[in-house]
Amino acid sequence: MSAVELRRGAGGAAAHAAPGPATDYHALGAFTETWAFLELFFGRCAETVGIDAEGEASARAEALARAVPANPAFAPLAGKTCTLAREAADLAQRRQALLEDLAYASLRRMGVEVCNAPPAGPPPALDALHMSACDLVRRTVLLLGQLKARRGGSA
């Protein structure tokens, strides 16, 4: 018996389920994969400058942005690195908001009321967020090549 069937038997709560578009899990999966690449490449950039950066993408980018200006070999790339770190932090906030919106929307479609849930709004812009993540991955890979060239390694 599903949770919706249980709720129907408990007073018809499923009849109050909010209609709405179902989550595009294919698009969400593609975005999740892109986010994993972003974390990977920020981690590789951090390794290239000689630091151990842990955590999700924005934490790795922030650690990188602190380390690059401190090393004279990499200092000319400090502006690019700081810009990428700011954009990664912004993207991480937007990602978190998107995931929360998707979770609340899913619960609403099942008829589950969540305390302190924000009111239902327009569907999250997953495609726009994914394209921003793709662009950030591309620019992070370019930065990795520039860092490796300054370190004297192969790009």
Side-chain angles (χ1 to χ4, degrees):
M1 182 176 274
S2 73
V4 171
E5 289 170 335
L6 286 173
R7 295 209 36 108
R8 274 193 192 114
H16 301 291
T23 302
D24 182 351
Y25 288 105
H26 178 73
L28 183 59
F31 173 67
T32 301
E33 183 177 44
T34 301
W35 188 260
F37 282 128
L38 187 61
E39 290 178 341
L40 171 75
F41 288 118
F42 272 128
R44 287 194 178 164
C45 285
E47 290 171 5
T48 301
V49 299
I51 62 170
D52 184 29
E54 294 294 323
E56 57 98 21
S58 65
R60 291 177 186 200
E62 185 179 321
L64 184 64
R66 285 191 309 267
V68 166
N71 186 323
F74 302 120
L77 298 173
K80 286 182 182 182
T81 306
C82 288
T83 299
L84 287 175
R86 277 192 309 273
E87 290 180 24
D90 175 61
L91 192 62
Q93 288 176 343
R94 291 171 43 208
R95 173 183 174 258
Q96 185 63 37
L98 171 96
L99 294 175
E100 288 174 10
D101 287 349
L102 290 174
Y104 286 130
S106 181
L107 290 170
R108 283 186 189 101
R109 281 192 306 277
M110 291 188 297
V112 177
E113 289 301 318
V114 181
C115 294
N116 299 324
L126 180 57
D127 289 338
L129 194 61
H130 185 209
M131 294 313 297
S132 295
C134 287
D135 181 58
L136 200 53
V137 167
R138 178 188 62 80
R139 292 170 38 226
T140 303
V141 170
L142 292 172
L143 177 65
L144 177 60
Q146 293 170 337
L147 290 169
K148 284 183 175 183
R150 288 194 168 274
R151 185 192 67 194
S154 61

